[in-house]
């Protein structure tokens, strides 16, 4: 295999639901993201890979408007960039941040209810979404009264993903969902993400454990020093060595 | 009156004033949890509570309850103004927290001076909520106003607890206090929650002022001493812990009362500051542990 900048036979890109064009972001004078283009369509799970400090988390934070950025983020054809933080979430672009960002002292139920904050006071809709999330993660139903911070890492990740699903996302972004989790639990979480993607939900998965992400992804972007350096067709990557060639090319 | 009766009377008086310190301390906690800011304009809201009620009763002839409600609303509006005009512009510029804390101190001085210009420097007071004579409990005369303070404080604590535990907005405010960025990601309007924290805090301060004024007096410059007492209450309880601030307020009130009884009125502040130093030296996280 010749690890060129882009895989030779990438599957056809579905009509993008989220289309990121020339997105750049800086921390002070340090440019952390340089003119990045990525997109995700309905039913796609795309992975963003790269070493530590490549700009993966920055990319997700810039999409969500959590850090100053320039460029375009089109969601269903409409621009999101430079909107105030939180605007993306209310539109249906939902991020599960690195470290999960759960509200530790609050109960599982309260965490999930807050995921549906944008629903307002429509209790029936919140109930409907709760039922759906409990279907996805039955363990959360068993422990809905427990404070989220007292749960295991895997269960906390379920709370984080469940809370994101309570927002009825149109696009789901996940930042390192496997961080600090046992392999079995990671597998469980990723299987759920795969199922969600197959049900039509566009997913952008930032992941350090590239082999795991490539098992699920239909396309992967390799980020290095804030730039996309390769777009990979996971089916063309047959071994760890081939993947390593992308990293070192 | 024998010694035990004196001690019991001082205890009741201390609990009563301590409840008020507790309410002021809770005001500190609500803003601190939402923003990390220690709002030194908290004392101004206590002053507004007593002063505005007095002015509305005497100059506008409003009945007691209407004047009190009016004063609480005025304090809430001033609280929102402090957040919008003083804190928010600095917040949006990402300035250091201590700059915002100093700005609230400046706001305290501005509000105090505006009260002086508008109402003058004459002390004002309010009539007791009821005209009933002191109630005798086993030889101890209990001022009815003290019972009003105790009952009102407990009702307010219970109402706040229900608000923060069960309402959608209360839960959102708690979420902001735990992790503001994660709250933003849920679509929670964090800046609106900050304004609301200032409004709730100002209203609590005003209620404290209304409850206190019949037992003491109020004037344009009473805010700072009460703010210091509320601040000490919050530190004793564990900064950011509303229940802790209430317990801390009662502890502070009781210790002050006992110091006055045993050592004389001059030792009131000595006792309060000694208690503060003891906590800062030996248990800086307070009784319940601070939230940050």
């Amino acid at each position: 295999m010749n690890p060129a900048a882009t895989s030779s036979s990438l599957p056809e890109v579905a009509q993008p639901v989220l289309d990121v064009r020339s997105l750049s972001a800086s921390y002070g004078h340090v440019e952390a993201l340089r003119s990045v283009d990525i997109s995700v369509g309905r039913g796609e799970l795309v992975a963003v890979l790269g070493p530590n400090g490549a700009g993966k988390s920055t990319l997700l934070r810039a999409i969500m408007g959590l850090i100053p950025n320039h460029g375009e983020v089109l969601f269903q054809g409409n621009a999101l960039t430079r909107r105030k933080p939180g605007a993306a979430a209310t539109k249906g672009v939902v991020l599960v941040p690195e470290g999960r960002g759960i509200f530790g002292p609050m109960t599982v139920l309260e965490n999930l209810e807050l995921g549906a904050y944008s629903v307002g006071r429509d209790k029936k809709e919140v109930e409907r979404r709760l039922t759906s999330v409990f279907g996805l993660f039955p363990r959360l139903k068993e422990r809905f009264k427990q404070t989220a911070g007292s749960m295991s890492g895997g269960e906390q990740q379920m709370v984080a993903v469940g809370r994101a699903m309570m927002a009825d996302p149109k696009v789901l972004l996940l930042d390192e969902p496997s961080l600090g989790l046992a392999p079995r639990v990671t597998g469980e979480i990723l299987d759920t993400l795969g199922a969600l993607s197959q049900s039509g939900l566009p997913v952008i998965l930032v992941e350090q454990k590239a082999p795991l992400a490539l098992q699920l992804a239909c396309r992967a972007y390799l980020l290095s020093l804030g730039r996309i350096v390769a777009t990979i067709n996971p089916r063309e990557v047959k071994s760890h060595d081939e993947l390593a060639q992308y990293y070192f090319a | 009156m024998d010694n035990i009766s004196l001690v019991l009377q001082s205890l009741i008086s201390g609990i009563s004033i301590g409840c008020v310190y507790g309410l002021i301390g809770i005001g500190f906690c609500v803003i601190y949890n939402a923003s990390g800011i220690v709002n030194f304009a908290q004392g101004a809201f206590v002053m507004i509570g007593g002063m505005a009620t007095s002015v509305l009763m005497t100059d506008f002839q409003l009945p007691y309850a209407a004047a009190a409600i009016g004063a609480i609303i005025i304090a809430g509006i001033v609280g929102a103004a402090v957040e919008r005009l003083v804190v928010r512009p600095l917040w949006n510029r990402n300035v250091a927290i201590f700059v915002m804390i100093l700005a609230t101190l400046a706001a305290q001085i501005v509000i105090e001076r505006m009260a002086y210009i508008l109402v003058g420097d004459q002390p004002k007071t309010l009539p007791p909520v009821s005209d009933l004579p002191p109630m005798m409990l086993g030889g101890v005369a209990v001022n009815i106003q003290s019972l009003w303070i105790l009952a009102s404080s407990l009702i307010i604590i219970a109402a706040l607890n229900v608000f923060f535990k069960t309402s959608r907005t209360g839960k959102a405010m708690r979420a902001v206090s735990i992790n503001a960025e994660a709250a933003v990601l849920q679509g929670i309007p964090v800046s609106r929650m900050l304004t609301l924290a200032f409004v709730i805090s100002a209203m609590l301060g005003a209620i404290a002022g209304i409850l206190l004024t019949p037992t003491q007096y109020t004037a344009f410059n009473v805010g700072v001493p009460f703010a210091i007492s509320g601040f000490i209450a919050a530190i004793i309880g564990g900064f950011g812990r509303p229940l802790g601030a209430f317990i801390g307020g009662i502890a502070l009130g009781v210790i002050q009362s006992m110091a006055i009884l045993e050592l004389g009125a001059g030792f009131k502040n000595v006792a309060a500051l000694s208690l503060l130093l003891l906590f800062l030296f030996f248990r800086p996280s307070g009784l319940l542990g601070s939230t940050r």
Side-chain angles (χ1 to χ4, degrees):
Chain A
M1 189 201 73
N2 176 23
T6 301
S7 283
S8 51
S9 58
L10 281 166
E12 202 173 310
V13 179
Q15 178 69 27
V17 177
L18 190 76
D19 197 4
V20 176
R21 295 177 186 172
S22 304
L23 192 65
S24 300
S26 308
Y27 292 108
H29 295 297
V30 181
E31 212 175 5
L33 209 59
R34 303 168 195 207
S35 199
V36 168
D37 296 295
I38 69 165
S39 64
V40 62
R42 191 173 154 71
E44 287 186 333
L45 188 152
V46 301
V48 179
L49 311 174
N52 261 339
K56 305 185 297 294
S57 297
T58 302
L59 170 62
L60 298 189
R61 291 171 62 77
I63 291 172
M64 296 304 292
L66 294 175
I67 52 170
N69 60 79
H70 52 95
E72 267 189 309
V73 180
L74 298 175
F75 170 60
Q76 295 177 333
N78 298 313
L80 277 179
T81 317
R82 293 194 192 86
R83 294 273 181 92
K84 59 180 180 180
T90 52
K91 293 264 179 192
V93 181
V94 179
L95 169 66
V96 178
E98 185 179 358
R100 301 161 199 137
I102 59 163
F103 305 117
M106 302 177 85
T107 65
V108 170
L109 183 63
E110 286 173 329
N111 269 273
L112 295 178
E113 284 172 345
L114 284 167
Y117 186 83
S118 55
V119 170
R121 298 182 196 284
D122 185 348
K123 284 188 178 173
K124 276 189 182 168
E125 179 58 20
V126 175
E127 283 296 324
R128 189 188 67 76
R129 293 184 187 185
L130 266 177
T131 308
S132 160
V133 168
F134 285 150
L136 215 52
F137 300 111
R139 218 175 304 174
L140 298 185
K141 188 176 185 181
E142 293 162 17
R143 304 190 179 187
F144 73 98
K145 282 184 182 170
Q146 192 172 333
T147 52
S150 67
M151 301 176 91
S152 70
E155 288 164 341
Q156 287 187 15
Q157 192 63 58
M158 288 175 195
V159 173
V161 176
R163 188 180 63 184
M165 294 310 296
M166 287 293 291
D168 193 17
K170 306 293 179 285
V171 180
L172 182 61
L173 317 179
L174 295 113
D175 196 354
E176 306 271 10
S178 72
L179 199 69
L181 301 186
R184 189 184 55 79
V185 184
T186 301
E188 210 174 309
I189 300 275
L190 293 183
D191 285 349
T192 308
L193 295 179
L196 287 172
S197 166
Q198 279 170 11
S199 72
L201 178 66
V203 177
I204 297 180
L205 173 66
V206 160
E207 185 54 66
Q208 284 245 28
K209 292 173 185 160
L212 285 177
L214 290 176
Q215 284 172 18
L216 295 172
C218 65
R219 186 166 65 257
Y221 298 95
L222 183 59
L223 207 58
S224 175
L225 297 174
R227 289 183 197 280
I228 300 282
V229 292
T231 306
I232 304 168
N233 180 353
R235 286 181 204 92
E236 287 185 355
V237 182
K238 302 274 190 298
S239 67
H240 285 185
D241 287 347
E242 282 186 19
L243 183 61
Q245 286 183 61
Y246 276 108
Y247 270 70
F248 294 119
Chain B
M1 194 180 283
D2 59 29
N3 266 349
I4 291 176
S5 298
L6 273 175
V7 168
L8 286 175
Q9 197 141 358
S10 285
L11 187 69
I12 290 166
S13 160
I15 291 171
S16 164
I17 187 84
C19 287
V20 176
Y21 294 158
L23 290 181
I24 302 168
I26 292 171
F28 274 104
C29 296
V30 170
I31 290 177
Y32 179 76
N33 283 341
S35 62
I37 297 170
V38 178
N39 172 38
F40 278 112
Q42 195 61 30
F45 305 138
V46 180
M47 178 271 292
I48 289 171
M51 291 286 265
T53 306
S54 171
V55 168
L56 291 173
M57 283 178 76
T58 51
D59 295 359
F60 293 86
Q61 304 297 317
L62 288 184
Y64 205 151
I69 291 167
I72 293 167
I73 292 169
I74 290 169
I77 292 167
V78 175
V82 169
E83 193 275 327
R84 288 276 159 166
L85 303 177
V86 180
V87 174
R88 181 72 63 88
L90 297 171
W91 182 275
N92 288 343
R93 279 183 230 163
N94 283 327
V95 302
I97 286 284
F98 79 88
V99 175
M100 289 187 263
I101 293 173
L102 282 178
T104 64
L105 191 59
Q108 153 79 33
I109 294 166
V110 170
I111 295 167
E112 192 177 285
R113 290 294 127 180
M114 283 174 73
Y116 172 69
I117 292 165
L118 290 171
V119 191
D121 62 353
Q122 288 304 304
K124 294 179 184 300
T125 191
L126 293 171
V129 177
S130 63
D131 291 332
L132 296 170
M135 195 162 67
M136 296 303 291
L137 283 178
V140 180
V142 180
N143 189 335
I144 297 297
Q145 187 65 24
S146 296
L147 295 181
W148 270 105
I149 291 175
L150 188 61
S152 308
S153 304
L154 292 176
I155 289 168
I156 289 161
I157 300 285
L160 276 176
N161 194 42
V162 169
F163 171 73
F164 282 114
K165 287 273 168 69
T166 64
S167 77
R168 177 172 169 266
T169 306
K171 286 177 192 171
M173 287 183 77
R174 280 168 60 209
V176 171
S177 77
I178 296 164
N179 187 336
E181 188 171 287
V184 166
L185 292 174
Q186 311 317 311
I188 294 170
V190 172
S191 58
R192 205 185 302 162
M193 294 300 148
L194 183 57
T195 310
L196 192 57
F198 269 82
V199 170
I200 291 173
S201 187
M203 288 177 155
L204 283 171
I207 292 168
I210 294 164
L211 291 171
L212 261 178
T213 305
T215 63
Q216 309 191 357
Y217 73 95
T218 189
F220 74 97
N221 57 356
V222 298
V224 172
F226 284 124
I228 291 172
S229 297
F231 183 62
I232 295 173
I235 287 179
I236 293 172
F239 221 92
R241 302 273 182 203
L243 179 63
F246 192 66
I247 295 168
I250 291 175
L252 177 64
V254 167
I255 281 171
Q256 279 187 339
S257 270
M258 291 302 163
I260 292 169
L261 179 70
E262 298 297 332
L263 304 169
F267 281 85
K268 178 184 164 190
N269 290 337
V270 175
L273 294 171
S274 302
L275 185 65
L276 172 66
L277 287 176
L278 280 174
F279 267 89
L280 290 178
F281 282 138
F282 298 110
R283 199 174 166 84
S285 60
L287 292 170
L288 302 189
S290 85
T291 51
R292 290 178 194 225

